[in-house]
Each structure stands twice: as C-alpha cells, then as structure tokens.
C-alpha cells in the first residue's frame, strides 16, 4: 500500500533502520532499540514501513519478525490488520495460533508473526505446564521449538508493542528469553526505559542500545493529534438547568457533539463525531448504563435491536471481542455514543472519537495522556480552520481532578477553568490567522529539483536506460564502482617529548593508514555533508531526511542502484562521499538547494493563501489552563477570574503587568494574549518576503473606552531593526485601518523606571541604539 509518510514519520523510519544496522554489528544478543512516539503519531504505520524498508535495504540479511503485544485485549489483531493493509501481500503476516498449531518447523524469511504475550504465557498453577496449545509439549512442534529452529537459520527481530505495559517486568523478561531475538524494538508513547536511566544510558554509550524519539510538537504541527484537551467546558451554564451532576455531564457532552457535527459540515467534512462513555467497573456500573441509556433515549439516541431503534448508540463490554467495535471507527459511522465498561484496548484507533465522558469512580482519577489517548487523534490527520475541532473534550462528574505532569508529551490536558469578567463588552475588532506554512525546511518536493539539476549536469534522464545513464555519469569522471569507503588515519607518527611543551599547530604525519568506515559512521559523514549544504534551510532535523530521500531516489530511478547487488542506500552514500566524486555531488546539491529556494517560497505562499482567515475577535467566555504550564496570579482587573498566566512569561512582561496593576483605577480589564491559535488576537505582517502573524502581548481596555494593543520589548531588543520593526509598523497600519477609532498601541519598553511607547508609522530602532529616544513617549493610561 502506497502511504505518504509525514516528515517526522519518514525521519523516524530512517533512524530505526540506521539504529538496527548499528545494533546488528554489535557483538551480543538481544540489543534493544527503544522507539518512543506519542499516541496518535502512527507508531504501527512507522514500524510497518520500517519492516518494509529493512527487508529492502538489507536483501542479503535473512530476517524474520515477531510482533508481540503485551497486556490483555485484542490489540494484536488490530496490529495484524494494519500490517496487512500496509504490506498489501508482502511480507507475509501470520497469527501464531493460526500458523503454528503444529506442522511448521520455523518462521520463514521476512515473515511477520503476530501474537499476544498474555495469551501465550499462561501456565497451569500447580504443574507449571503451558496452557496455550501452541506452547504445549506434544508430538508436534510447539512454538518454542519453532523459535529454536528459526534461530538456527535466520535472525529474529522482536517488536514489543505498547512496551510500557510491562517492558521491565518479569513477564517481559520471560518474553525476551523465549524469543531470543537478535534485536528487540520496544515501542511505546511512555517507555519504561527512559534515556536517563543509568544502565540503559551506559548501554547506549557502548553501542549496544538505541533510542529513536518522535517529538510530540512535530506530531501536533502535522495535524495528527489535537492541540489540547478541555475538561468540563461550559458545564456551569448547563448545571443550572439539570437535576444532578450526571445529567449535567451527559447534557454538556450531547450539546458539544451536536455543535461539533455542525462545524464538521461547515468544513465540508463527513466526520460524525463520537462520544465515548466510560462506565465505572464497580457493581454500580450496570445502573449507570441504564441511566445513560434512559437519558440518550429521551434524546432520540438508542441501540438497534431486533429491528427496533436507530443504532446511534452502541455498548461494548469487556467480554466482547474488540473486532465488534472496529467498524465503529469509520469516519461517517452512524453511531454517536459508545458506552464501554472498561478502558478500551490501548491502541484502539478511532480518530472520530472527540468527546470522553468519565463517571465518578470510588477513587480519584489521575488524568494523563494515556487516559485520554482515545480522543487524541485527528479524524482526517489535519487541523481545521475552526479551532474547536482541534480540541478534545472530557466531561466528568468528579469533584477534584489530579493531572499528571507530562515529561514527554506536551501538557495539553487543560483542567483549570477561568471565566470572563461580567463587565466585559464586545470589542469588535478583526483578527488575522493562518496555519503554519513554513518550518524552515526542505520538503519532499526537493527531489524534483535535485533530479533536474543532476540530469542537467550529467546529461541523464529517466527516458534513458540505467546503463546509458551510468555511462554518462562515468564519462564525467564519477567512479560508481566503489567497493568500500575508506578513511585515512594518521599512523606511526612520533612526538619528541623533549620539546613537548613547545608543540603547537598541525602535526606533520609520518604515515597514514587506510581503514574502512563503519556503516553508522558513514551515515554521520553523509548527513554532515548534507547539513553543510542546506543554505538558508535552518531546520536540520526536518531537512536532512528529505534531502537524503531525494538523493536515494535519483540513484534508484535514474541509475538503477537497487539492482547493484548490495544495500543500495549505503552504496549511494559511498559513491557520494568518495574523494573522486564528492566535489561533483556537493556542487549539484548546493546548486539544487539554491534553485529550491524559489520553489519553496511559492509552496509556502500557496499554503498561506489556502489557510488565511480574517475573523471578528472577542475574548472567549471561558479559558482553560494546565497547572504545570500556568500559574495563578493575584491581579487587579484581569479579564478572567481567576487569573492564570503562563509560567514562561519574560521579566519585562511581568514588570508590565505590575504597571497595569498599579494603574488599575484607569483600566476596565487587561488580557495576556497568546500565540498560534485562532483563540488569540493576531495581525498580519511581512518580513523579507515572508508572511507571518504577529500576536501583540497585551490587550488593555481602558475606562475611557480606548483599547490598547501593546507589544513588550526589552531596552536592548536585538530584533529592533528586523522583526520588531516589521511588527511595529504592521500594528500601526492595522490600527489606522480599523473603523474603531478608539484603538491605540505600539511597542512598549521600560526605561529608568518608566514605560515608554512608540506609536509612529515608521519605526527607527537605529536611533535608540544611539541613545536617541525622541520617537518615544511616556505611556499614559
């Protein structure tokens, strides 16, 4: 199946391959590679592509794969389904129970065997005999025998899915001992082996372990998961009209689902948002199910049974097979509410699930990413113009909630609520918003540019045969017959200790030794060469994988490198880096990067034009916060009660807030603006050909009716002549263009214990650098 990977996914697959190659060269069994990726990032897809690529990259190596899920449930069946969908016939995917009940001697080359460890490991308590038929001793070979015979013939790569469940426990060690794999890939959003763990860190340093990590921000930026999770939005408004907390929670979720459905229609999407209702597992759970069914039935939502009912409600209980709920995941499935009595299997993928209802348990619930993982994914793997669709929602009748600090995932669970002050009146101003369109990176479109430049230089073309193209490249002086890539090392050089203290400068070598470079070092050299030629594209992490892929594509599709008889990607690296060839290829790469700038600029402009919005702006009735990223502040006249502000505010911003509090008698309210969301107030500005959004730091409504828009800077602002200048002038242009004549504002700076404002149409920071502040006036509010 042809799947276009996101840049972070492509990068992770490449890193997994490089790490595997390195670990295969390490002398020892069971080397571990930890693969950490957030919930909703597409871990199974990435691992599937890793398997495909590894088979392709190392055709001479004889591999097979064991994909093992840990924990109860049917996650392994969903994984098998996904793998089969991605592989589309090759490699072969089998279930242990189906394929190894007797008769087969070993796992064949490239085969992926899927199993659930909980089902395999069970033993009789008294005798210690295996319970599962495929593990039992008998006349036919059991799965343990199959593994032993397989190890005699080929390497085994063990993939532990959701390894955090018990990766460092006795049962997981039993699993490793049983499989006896050459490489173990532990996959989880929250692995049990943190990079900082002492023993694991030491193993990393020795080269006997690897750690591949996908950053949550990259996943959010690509629109794969929601930006934040809101708990009990608008619950107080609804609670006033409901008899009890249970009814209020259900009513709030029902209304929110209806709102989201209308929003999806407006976006031109057929997504039917799903509400998950988690029932306590105690005996009271049965009563709760009946109460929920009664509430929903009154709303016209009920089960379809015996030809009756509309089928908008479904109930999934722990004893049912998970395949019964797989079909619910379809984007436009008719089911609107799903009741379940225990946590749905970790890894169950239903991207249209948007709202989670959790009823009171006998103990307090700690909310963390794993808890809300089922509503974290975006249904169409993109963010929408309406920010409400980019959030997940939890409704609960818990009195108190504890939120766990997320050391790895961003703290997106917002459980602290603040309400807009009662005296707020509409400000009726226009706000600009655009989705992020440029990450300062080289993207997949680069390969077209690289191919064009390389073809022009060598005279090659896809229309020619591989042999013709190879001949043309060779005629330019490029050596394609590189058997190994060697590095010269200084050798047999003597230092005169009598003059040791006087030695300086470059030492003259008396001899050199030529040694072959290891595969992992070769990749380091290759990537460093790319980094050295990226020009204006500063996002190295995103750019290097795209450039590597472009080079590989040219070697494969123009020169036919896949037929060269060894790992063609490493062969391409050797040819590219060889002393005879390096100058040619670096010239082509640098030229292609230079030509690509115009392509990227047009690409970014098109993305911006597609995402630009100008909408009426008002402060939201409610804002939600996280106790680890925001702090409660005692403040006068803040626009929300209580006042929560980011813990990351700068010192000048905190000083400006003190200034506002000191002048509270002249202020109706003030508000700290945020960034990168439609909920915040933005102004369009341009700088060096790029289009950006400027979010002024503060909105201040004065008692005399004026609305101030202020951007706080330090007196030593290093961006004064660049970005700040562009923002300052865009702000004045915005103010003069608005019909609301009571707008004012500008850049504000504290000097000599007084606050000054620059609100001129032209911003002359160079004067300030010469201590000329004549363009600035004392800020009066």
């Amino acid at each position: 199946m042809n799947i276009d990977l996101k840049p972070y996914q492509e990068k992770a697959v490449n890193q997994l391959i490089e790490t595997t190659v390195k670990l295969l060269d390490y002398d020892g069994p069971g080397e571990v590679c930890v693969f950490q990726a957030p919930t909703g990032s597409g871990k199974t897809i990435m691992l599937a592509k890793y398997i495909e690529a590894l088979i392709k990259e190392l055709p001479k190596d004889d591999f097979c794969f064991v994909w093992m899920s840990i924990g109860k449930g049917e996650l392994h069946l969903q994984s098998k389904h996904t793998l089969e969908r991605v592989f589309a016939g090759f490699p072969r995917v089998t279930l242990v129970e189906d394929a190894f009940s007797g008769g087969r001697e070993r796992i064949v080359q490239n085969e992926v065997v899927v199993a659930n460890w909980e089902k395999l490991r069970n033993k009789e308590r008294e005798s210690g005999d295996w319970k599962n038929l495929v593990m039992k001793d008998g006349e036919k070979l059991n799965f343990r025998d199959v593994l032993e015979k397989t190890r005699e013939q080929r390497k085994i790569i063990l993939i532990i899915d959701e390894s955090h469940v018990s990766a460092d426990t006795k049962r997981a060690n039993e699993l490793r001992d049983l499989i006896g794999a050459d490489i173990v890939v532990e996959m989880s959003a929250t692995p049990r082996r943190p990079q900082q763990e002492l023993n694991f860190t030491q193993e990393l340093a020795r080269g006997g372990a690897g750690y591949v990590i996908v950053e949550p921000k990259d996943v959010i930026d690509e629109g794969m998961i929601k930006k934040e999770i809101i708990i009990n939005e608008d619950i107080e408004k609804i609670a006033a009209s409901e008899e009890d907390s249970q009814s209020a929670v259900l009513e709030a979720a029902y209304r929110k689902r209806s709102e989201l459905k209308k929003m999806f229609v407006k976006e031109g999407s057929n997504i039917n948002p799903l509400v998950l209702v988690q029932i306590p597992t105690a005996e009271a759970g049965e009563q709760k199910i009946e109460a929920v069914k009664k509430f929903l039935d009154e709303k016209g939502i009920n089960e379809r049974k015996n030809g009756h009912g509309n089928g908008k409600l479904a109930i999934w209980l722990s004893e049912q097979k998970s395949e019964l709920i797989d079909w619910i995941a379809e984007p436009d499935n008719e089911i609107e509410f799903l009741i379940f009595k225990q946590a749905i299997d970790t890894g169950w993928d239903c991207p249209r699930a948007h709202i989670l209802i959790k009823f009171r348990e006998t103990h307090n619930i700690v909310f963390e990413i794993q808890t809300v993982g089922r509503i974290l994914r975006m249904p169409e793997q993109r963010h929408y113009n309406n920010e409400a669709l980019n959030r997940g929602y939890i409704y609960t009748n818990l009195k108190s909630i504890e939120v766990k600090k997320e050391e790895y995932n961003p703290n997106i669970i917002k459980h602290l609520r603040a309400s807009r002050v009662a005296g707020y009146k509409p400000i009726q101003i226009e706000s600009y918003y655009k989705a992020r369109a440029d990450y300062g990176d080289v993207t997949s479109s680069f390969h077209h540019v690289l191919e064009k430049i390389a073809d022009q230089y060598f005279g090659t073309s896809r229309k020619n045969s591989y042999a013709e193209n190879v001949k043309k490249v060779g005629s330019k002086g490029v050596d394609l017959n590189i058997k190994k890539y060697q590095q010269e090392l200084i050798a047999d050089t003597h230092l005169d200790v009598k003059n040791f203290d006087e030695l300086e400068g470059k030492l003259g070598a008396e001899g050199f030794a030529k040694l072959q470079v290891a595969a992992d070092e070769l990749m380091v050299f290759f990537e460093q060469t790319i980094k050295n030629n990226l020009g204006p594209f500063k996002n190295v992490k995103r750019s290097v994988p795209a450039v590597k892929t472009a080079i590989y594509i040219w070697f494969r599709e123009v020169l036919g490198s896949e037929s060269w008889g060894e790992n063609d990607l490493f062969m391409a690296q050797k040819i590219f880096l060889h002393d005879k060839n390096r100058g040619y290829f670096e010239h082509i790469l640098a030229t292609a990067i230079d030509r690509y700038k115009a392509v990227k600029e047009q690409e970014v402009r098109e993305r911006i034009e597609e995402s630009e919005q100008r909408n009426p702006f008002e402060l939201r009735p409610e804002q939600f916060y996280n106790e680890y990223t925001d702090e409660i502040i005692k403040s006068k006249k803040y626009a929300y009660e209580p006042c929560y502000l980011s813990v990351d505010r700068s010192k000048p911003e905190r000083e400006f807030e003190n200034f506002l509090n000191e002048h509270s008698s002249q202020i109706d309210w003030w508000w700290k603006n945020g960034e990168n969301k439609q909920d915040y107030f933005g102004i369009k500005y341009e700088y060096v050909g790029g289009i950006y959004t400027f979010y002024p730091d503060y909105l201040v409504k004065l008692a005399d009716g004026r609305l101030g828009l202020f951007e706080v800077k330090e007196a030593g602002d290093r961006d004064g002549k660049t970005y700040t200048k562009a923002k300052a002038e865009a702000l004045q242009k915005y103010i003069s263009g608005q019909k609301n004549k009571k707008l004012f504002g500008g850049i504000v700076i504290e000097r000599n214990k007084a606050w000054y404002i620059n609100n001129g149409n032209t911003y002359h920071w160079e004067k300030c650098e010469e201590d000329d502040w004549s363009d600035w006036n004392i800020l009066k509010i």
Side-chain angles (χ1 to χ4, degrees):
M1 179 181 178
N2 185 24
I3 295 177
D4 291 328
L5 295 181
K6 302 283 187 180
Y8 74 82
Q9 293 175 323
E10 192 172 285
K11 176 186 173 185
V13 170
N14 290 336
Q15 288 180 332
L16 284 166
I17 293 169
E18 291 160 16
T19 302
T20 301
V21 170
K22 180 184 73 174
L23 294 179
L24 287 170
D25 289 337
Y26 186 77
D27 186 20
E31 278 75 49
V32 174
C33 174
V34 174
F35 177 43
Q36 182 173 1
T39 299
S41 60
K43 291 188 291 293
T44 305
I45 296 290
M46 286 185 272
L47 262 294
K49 286 297 183 181
Y50 155 75
I51 291 171
E52 277 188 338
L54 198 64
I55 292 170
K56 201 171 187 178
E57 305 295 329
L58 303 176
K60 291 184 179 179
D61 288 80
D62 194 344
F63 295 116
C64 66
F65 303 85
V66 176
W67 185 293
M68 195 72 71
S69 297
I70 294 187
K72 297 179 180 179
E74 307 290 342
L75 173 61
H76 66 299
L77 296 178
Q78 182 173 328
S79 297
K80 178 178 181 286
H81 173 70
T82 301
L83 292 171
E84 288 174 328
R85 182 168 55 86
V86 174
F87 294 156
F90 180 83
R92 175 186 183 186
V93 184
T94 54
L95 275 177
V96 164
E97 290 88 344
D98 294 344
F100 298 97
S101 296
R104 284 189 59 182
E105 287 194 347
R106 57 180 58 85
I107 305 170
V108 300
Q109 184 176 8
N110 300 331
E111 183 178 6
V112 183
V113 177
V114 178
N116 175 275
W117 181 231
E118 299 303 315
K119 295 184 177 182
L120 292 185
R121 70 181 292 272
N122 287 333
K123 292 183 179 181
E124 300 290 350
R125 182 171 296 180
E126 294 182 5
S127 65
D129 293 336
W130 297 91
K131 284 185 177 182
N132 195 306
L133 182 63
V134 300
M135 302 292 283
K136 282 185 175 182
D137 292 319
E139 295 181 5
K140 295 182 179 180
L141 291 175
N142 58 45
F143 188 55
R144 291 175 290 128
D145 299 326
V146 169
L147 289 168
E148 186 176 344
K149 287 184 174 292
T150 300
R151 286 192 293 268
E152 294 171 0
Q153 189 166 322
R154 60 185 49 91
K155 295 171 183 173
I156 299 176
I157 294 179
L158 169 63
I159 297 168
I160 305 179
D161 193 2
E162 302 294 355
S163 62
H164 66 275
V165 175
S166 55
D168 275 345
T169 60
K170 179 181 176 182
R171 68 180 63 182
N173 291 330
E174 289 175 357
L175 167 59
R176 291 191 191 89
D177 292 341
L178 174 74
I179 305 298
D182 296 85
I183 304 289
V184 178
V185 179
E186 295 181 0
M187 172 173 64
S188 174
T190 52
R192 296 286 186 183
R193 298 175 187 264
Q195 282 179 293
Q196 297 80 13
E197 184 185 276
L198 179 61
N199 293 338
F200 188 66
T201 302
Q202 292 172 343
E203 198 62 28
L204 276 170
R206 285 195 293 266
Y211 208 109
V212 175
I213 185 168
V214 172
E215 295 294 341
K217 185 178 184 302
D218 293 338
V219 182
I220 293 174
D221 287 346
E222 290 292 342
M224 295 289 283
I225 60 178
K226 295 182 175 72
K227 293 182 179 180
E228 59 185 4
I229 305 295
I230 304 296
I231 299 178
N232 282 350
E233 185 182 53
D234 294 331
I235 195 71
E236 280 191 357
K237 295 178 185 176
I238 295 168
S241 61
E242 296 298 327
E243 293 181 3
D244 53 52
S245 64
Q246 177 176 290
S247 300
V249 165
L250 288 167
E251 180 67 27
Y254 171 78
R255 292 187 191 180
K256 177 56 66 176
R257 201 210 77 85
S258 299
E259 289 174 16
L260 294 175
K261 177 59 181 172
K262 291 175 184 176
M263 292 173 187
F264 275 118
V265 171
K266 196 170 181 180
E267 292 273 347
S269 171
N270 70 339
I271 299 298
N272 189 26
L274 176 68
V275 180
L276 303 178
V277 185
Q278 185 167 355
I279 300 297
T281 54
E283 291 181 9
E286 292 300 325
Q287 296 177 353
K288 192 72 69 177
I289 290 175
E290 292 306 314
V292 173
K293 287 171 65 177
K294 182 175 182 294
F295 173 88
L296 292 176
D297 190 57
E298 291 172 357
K299 300 289 186 181
I301 299 170
N302 42 54
E303 292 180 275
R304 181 180 289 117
K305 285 185 176 180
N306 303 320
H308 300 285
N310 56 26
K312 293 182 179 181
L313 169 66
I315 300 176
W316 180 76
L317 303 177
S318 58
E319 59 269 18
Q320 291 177 298
K321 297 294 184 182
S322 66
E323 54 259 34
L324 296 176
I325 63 168
D326 285 348
W327 62 282
I328 297 174
E330 294 298 321
D332 57 351
N333 185 277
E334 64 182 356
I335 293 174
E336 297 176 357
F337 283 76
L338 173 65
I339 298 174
F340 59 99
K341 198 172 179 180
Q342 70 168 29
I344 294 178
D345 291 339
T346 299
W348 179 61
D349 191 6
C350 183
R352 74 182 183 96
H354 223 111
I355 300 169
L356 173 65
I357 296 175
K358 289 181 73 71
F359 286 113
R360 186 183 296 114
E361 300 271 1
T362 55
H363 55 84
N364 192 28
I365 293 177
V366 177
F367 278 98
E368 53 183 309
I369 290 295
Q370 291 291 344
T371 307
V372 301
R374 305 288 66 79
I375 62 168
L376 204 56
R377 293 172 173 83
M378 290 300 293
E380 296 178 283
Q381 296 188 357
R382 66 181 177 92
H383 288 146
Y384 299 96
N385 293 327
N386 191 325
E387 283 291 343
L389 297 176
N390 301 328
R391 302 186 184 100
Y393 301 88
I394 296 176
Y395 291 96
T396 178
N397 62 349
L398 290 170
K399 181 179 180 181
S400 63
I401 295 171
E402 180 185 349
V403 174
K404 181 179 178 182
K405 184 176 182 180
E406 302 293 341
E407 299 294 346
Y408 165 61
N409 284 295
N411 289 283
I412 64 174
I413 303 176
K414 307 295 175 93
H415 63 296
L416 303 174
R417 182 174 60 85
S419 300
R420 193 176 62 195
V421 292
Y424 176 87
K425 295 179 181 178
I427 54 178
Q428 297 177 335
I429 59 175
E430 181 184 85
S431 178
Y432 173 82
Y433 175 81
K434 67 173 184 63
R436 186 173 179 180
D438 185 17
Y439 295 89
D441 62 335
V442 177
T443 66
S444 58
S445 59
F446 176 68
H447 89 266
H448 297 293
V449 179
L450 180 77
E451 182 173 323
K452 185 177 181 179
I453 298 300
D455 285 349
Q456 287 174 351
Y457 187 83
F458 291 118
T460 51
S461 170
R462 290 191 185 216
K463 295 177 181 179
N464 300 336
S465 67
Y466 293 149
E468 286 180 90
N469 286 334
V470 166
K471 187 175 180 180
K472 286 177 180 290
V473 171
S475 68
K476 284 282 189 177
V478 174
D479 186 355
L480 295 175
N481 191 28
I482 306 297
K483 299 300 182 186
K484 56 187 176 181
Y485 180 73
Q486 294 183 319
Q487 181 183 24
E488 274 192 343
L489 305 181
I490 189 170
D492 299 322
T493 297
H494 301 78
L495 301 180
D496 187 351
V497 296
K498 289 182 293 184
N499 301 313
F500 189 81
D501 291 333
E502 299 174 15
L503 289 173
E504 67 174 311
K506 189 175 181 180
L507 297 175
E510 297 172 20
F512 293 95
K514 279 196 170 185
L515 298 174
Q516 185 165 341
V517 176
D520 57 325
E521 281 192 287
L522 184 66
M523 179 61 78
V524 171
F525 294 155
F526 185 54
E527 290 187 348
Q528 188 58 53
T529 301
I530 292 172
K531 292 174 188 177
N532 294 343
N533 288 280
L534 286 177
F537 300 100
K538 303 302 182 186
N539 194 325
V540 173
K541 287 174 67 176
R542 295 173 71 102
S543 298
V544 170
V547 175
K548 285 197 298 187
T549 300
I551 294 169
Y552 296 152
I553 288 173
W554 186 79
F555 269 85
R556 283 180 170 177
E557 300 189 4
V558 176
L559 301 183
S561 61
E562 284 184 289
S563 63
W564 288 355
E566 66 170 280
N567 181 345
D568 66 311
L569 300 193
F570 290 121
M571 191 66 182
Q573 293 169 21
K574 293 176 189 177
I575 293 169
F576 191 100
L577 293 172
H578 196 275
D579 291 342
K580 285 185 178 181
N581 307 333
R582 189 167 183 158
Y584 300 116
F585 288 113
E586 283 206 70
H587 170 74
I588 289 168
L589 177 56
T591 304
I593 288 289
D594 187 61
R595 299 275 181 88
Y596 180 66
K597 287 188 289 187
V599 174
K600 182 62 186 293
E601 285 174 9
Q602 181 60 32
E603 192 176 282
V604 169
R605 282 204 166 267
E606 288 175 0
R607 287 181 190 168
I608 289 173
E609 289 170 4
E610 288 175 3
S611 68
E612 278 188 320
Q613 297 177 56
R614 289 175 176 82
N615 298 313
F617 178 79
E618 299 290 343
L619 299 193
R620 286 165 50 87
E622 294 178 318
Q623 293 280 6
F624 291 84
Y625 303 89
N626 179 284
E627 66 183 280
Y628 299 107
T629 58
D630 305 294
E631 59 184 343
I632 191 166
I633 302 291
K634 289 183 179 179
S635 180
K636 299 174 183 178
K637 300 295 182 70
Y638 192 64
Y640 289 88
E641 295 176 350
C643 172
Y644 290 103
L645 296 173
S646 169
V647 296
D648 295 329
R649 300 183 330 283
S650 67
K651 183 179 179 182
E653 288 174 339
R654 292 173 187 267
E655 293 295 336
F656 186 69
E657 290 161 11
N658 291 336
F659 170 77
L660 295 175
N661 287 328
E662 289 167 5
H663 293 79
S664 61
S665 60
Q666 286 88 45
I667 294 173
D668 279 349
W669 54 260
W670 64 271
W671 179 62
K672 178 71 174 75
N673 196 17
E675 292 185 356
N676 301 325
K677 289 184 185 176
Q678 287 173 298
D679 293 344
Y680 301 131
F681 170 67
I683 294 171
K684 179 179 180 179
Y685 79 101
E686 298 190 29
Y687 177 71
V688 194
I691 299 173
Y692 305 93
T693 307
F694 161 41
Y695 297 89
D697 290 323
Y698 295 89
L699 274 65
V700 181
K701 183 66 186 302
L702 302 183
D704 62 12
R706 290 181 298 157
L707 179 65
L709 311 174
F710 302 114
E711 174 74 2
V712 177
K713 292 295 178 184
E714 292 182 292
D717 182 16
R718 288 178 295 182
D719 295 326
K721 291 191 289 190
T722 55
Y723 287 103
T724 303
K725 175 179 172 63
K727 291 176 180 179
E729 293 173 0
L731 177 54
Q732 298 309 318
K733 183 179 178 181
Y734 171 83
I735 290 172
S736 63
Q738 292 291 297
K739 293 178 181 179
N740 185 342
K741 300 301 181 183
K742 290 194 173 184
L743 278 182
F744 78 110
I747 308 299
V748 292
I749 287 177
E750 186 182 28
R751 292 183 67 246
N752 303 322
K753 297 186 178 180
W755 282 91
Y756 289 79
I757 182 170
N758 184 305
N759 54 6
N761 291 328
T762 306
Y763 191 74
H764 298 290
W765 184 251
E766 61 275 7
K767 287 185 179 182
C768 302
E769 291 179 324
E770 296 174 2
D771 205 28
D772 178 358
W773 294 83
S774 58
D775 292 342
W776 297 71
N777 302 302
I778 291 179
L779 177 60
K780 296 178 181 179
I781 60 174

